[in-house]
Amino acid sequence: MAGSRLSLRSRGEPPALRLSRQADALAAAGDAAAAAGLYVRALAIDPTLAGTHNNHGNALRVLGRLDEAAAAYRAAIARGLDEGMAHYNLASLLRQAERHGEADDIFRQALALRPCHAEAWNNWGNLMRDLERYGDAAMGYRHALALRPDWSDAHDNLGAVLYLLHEQGGEKEAAALARWWRRDHPMNPLARHIGAAIAGEAADARAPDDYVRQTFDLFAEEFDRKLADLDYRAPALLAGLLSDESPVPSGTLDVLDAGCGTGLCAAFLRPYARHLTGVDLSEGMLERADARGLYDDLQAVELVAFLASRPKSFDLAVAADVFCYFGALEDVFSAAGEALRPGGLLVFTVEELEPEDGRPYRVATHGRYAHTESYVRAALASAGWAPTRCDRDRLRFESGAPVNGLAVLAERPTRGV
Ligand SMILES: C[S@@+](CC[C@H](N)C(=O)[O-])C[C@H]1O[C@@H](n2cnc3c(N)ncnc32)[C@H](O)[C@@H]1O
């Protein structure tokens, strides 16, 4: 909510202004109820104070008295507050009250009065999203981002509506908007990654580090619960592969949980480990992993850089649902080859891309890559890995549909190393 400042501070200040300023101080201190009372007194003395009506509206809105707040904003406008602020406040409130048509009219008036108001464009975009007018919503967010290019909320909003537009049959429009988004914000990780996926353009070789960090920091708190709801099975599938290979855990291995997330693999890895290391880009995920008390070492680092810095340090590396954030796999397989000792095992899942797609891998509009089995096998071979198991199975559900993938176990040959 945007407030209005009173600038008169003379000793002979009229009583209405003095009361109004006291009310502003109370509102700023969080006492909306007391502020509202003083605004009423100020306006009883001088009903022409347009800014006071606006600020009264803000206090009433905080108190949940939405109809009265709307009346106060309308009074501010009627009394001549015409630089767009009271219109914006009124429009936001009408959206909150689900009075969509009125909100749209008033947002348009607010933006006509103040076209450089990024918040108003963003909030009008939110209104369009409420109305499932995703193309219009995207235009609102684009305007907001033209004014505030680094505003991550507006980037999130734009990515979300382009996804919805794409999923609901507007692929062409979504792709065109996504191309603009990428062109206008080439350094923004969301625009680069999700923008490329929706535009159908070539994405980075792996999801940008900032994108991964932001996504999982935001997701960390809900991750375990949401993944359980989706019947997430990657850790269980890898546990099965490993116990088939090595039924009696020795407790003697140096084990890496690569992209450990919240540590869902730790329970089955611990019995194999002399030393269990977890690495992940997201501090939020690592905090949860730490709380399990099962890791000897947890590090916030990028996986390929970490592997490259630890030659011949591990006997087993596990990556459950991590390579879906990688497109090309050659670099990570080759870095894993350096980090594992001869005879070491690399165990991982990928989401499967059907060969009919014609590409070795591709990124989908939700931001995860999928790979064909033949590409995974070729990339493993080129990095010197010998796959001994490659099982096709369901990794989880997404929007009610199964997500199929490959659970792979590969060995670092002892010969020639
Ligand atoms: C879907 S979660 C899976 C977490 C865990 N392995 C599990 O099965 O629950 C993917 C994790 O990989 C991490 N990740 C993705 N790309 C990474 C990279 N290049 N370096 C390090 N961590 C990465 C993410 O931060 C995220 O925590």
Side-chain angles (χ1 to χ4, degrees):
M1 279 174 292
S4 170
R5 281 182 189 284
L6 295 168
S7 57
L8 285 179
R9 285 182 182 273
S10 68
R11 275 183 46 210
E13 187 175 48
L17 282 181
R18 187 168 36 78
L19 284 170
S20 189
R21 194 176 0 262
Q22 286 168 2
D24 291 344
L26 286 168
D31 192 347
L38 280 195
Y39 286 129
V40 170
R41 284 174 54 197
L43 290 165
I45 298 168
D46 184 354
T48 68
L49 296 177
T52 302
H53 282 292
N54 178 66
N55 295 355
H56 184 210
N58 290 345
L60 292 167
R61 190 171 171 198
V62 169
L63 295 170
R65 291 158 60 182
L66 299 190
D67 287 341
E68 292 167 79
Y73 293 136
R74 288 188 198 281
I77 293 166
R79 296 290 178 177
L81 201 64
D82 62 359
E83 84 288 21
M85 188 166 54
H87 294 77
Y88 168 68
N89 288 335
L90 176 59
S92 302
L93 181 144
L94 291 169
R95 173 181 168 245
Q96 185 184 351
E98 299 186 7
R99 288 159 64 178
H100 296 130
E102 285 172 83
D104 190 14
D105 285 347
I106 307 287
F107 267 125
R108 286 172 196 273
Q109 289 175 34
L111 287 164
L113 290 164
R114 203 171 166 196
C116 292
H117 193 186
E119 284 77 5
W121 283 112
N122 182 65
N123 233 345
W124 180 73
N126 291 341
L127 174 68
M128 294 298 106
R129 186 189 57 203
D130 296 346
L131 294 170
E132 299 186 8
R133 288 167 52 184
Y134 300 127
D136 289 334
M139 294 308 283
Y141 300 137
R142 282 193 67 214
H143 276 290
L145 287 169
L147 295 160
R148 279 180 62 186
D150 295 330
W151 192 8
S152 61
D153 285 354
H155 281 291
D156 286 349
N157 289 338
L158 180 53
V161 294
L162 292 185
Y163 175 80
L164 290 168
L165 184 61
H166 185 278
E167 294 310 295
Q168 300 195 357
E171 289 93 344
K172 269 192 162 174
E173 189 184 359
L177 287 162
R179 273 193 287 280
W180 280 334
W181 185 24
R182 287 191 87 197
R183 186 203 60 197
D184 294 346
H185 304 276
M187 299 314 290
N188 180 272
L190 204 61
R192 267 195 13 224
H193 190 57
I194 298 297
I198 293 174
E201 294 177 340
D204 293 356
R206 64 164 199 265
D209 295 355
D210 285 351
Y211 167 82
V212 172
R213 226 177 261 120
Q214 272 172 30
T215 302
F216 285 97
D217 280 351
L218 282 174
F219 193 22
E221 198 180 322
E222 295 178 314
F223 183 86
D224 290 4
R225 186 179 49 75
K226 282 222 166 146
L227 273 280
D229 290 348
L230 299 174
D231 192 24
Y232 174 58
R233 301 169 71 220
L237 293 174
L238 298 186
L241 280 189
L242 205 53
S243 76
D244 290 351
E245 175 77 14
S246 185
V248 185
S250 63
T252 58
L253 304 180
D254 289 320
V255 179
L256 175 65
D257 189 353
C260 62
T262 61
L264 290 177
C265 293
F268 83 82
L269 291 176
R270 188 68 251 182
Y272 291 89
R274 178 178 75 86
H275 192 273
L276 178 58
T277 301
V279 300
D280 203 285
L281 274 168
S282 159
E283 300 261 9
M285 297 292 268
L286 286 166
E287 270 172 35
R288 269 94 190 159
D290 195 25
R292 292 182 196 271
L294 292 171
Y295 293 91
D296 300 299
D297 184 20
L298 285 167
Q299 296 194 34
V301 285
E302 197 288 311
L303 178 58
V304 181
F306 174 82
L307 291 167
S309 71
R310 299 290 295 271
K312 296 195 172 45
S313 302
F314 297 101
D315 305 298
L316 168 65
V318 168
D321 214 26
V322 178
F323 295 151
C324 52
Y325 295 96
F326 287 68
L329 293 171
E330 286 83 356
D331 283 356
V332 69
F333 286 166
S334 140
E338 297 300 316
L340 272 96
R341 299 179 182 121
L345 296 179
L346 175 63
V347 188
F348 61 91
T349 56
V350 291
E351 293 187 13
E352 189 177 14
L353 179 64
E354 297 301 331
E356 295 75 47
D357 184 90
R359 288 170 282 189
Y361 56 85
R362 79 174 173 96
V363 62
T365 51
H366 49 49
R368 295 192 311 274
Y369 294 85
H371 302 82
T372 62
E373 178 176 347
S374 62
Y375 170 69
V376 173
R377 286 183 179 277
L380 281 170
S382 76
W385 287 98
T388 54
R389 287 274 296 272
C390 185
D391 297 356
R392 182 166 288 114
D393 216 321
R394 193 187 74 237
L395 301 180
R396 63 196 183 88
F397 286 93
E398 168 127 357
S399 309
V403 175
N404 295 319
L406 304 170
V408 182
L409 184 143
E411 191 171 340
R412 189 86 191 132
T414 44
R415 203 163 35 83
V417 182

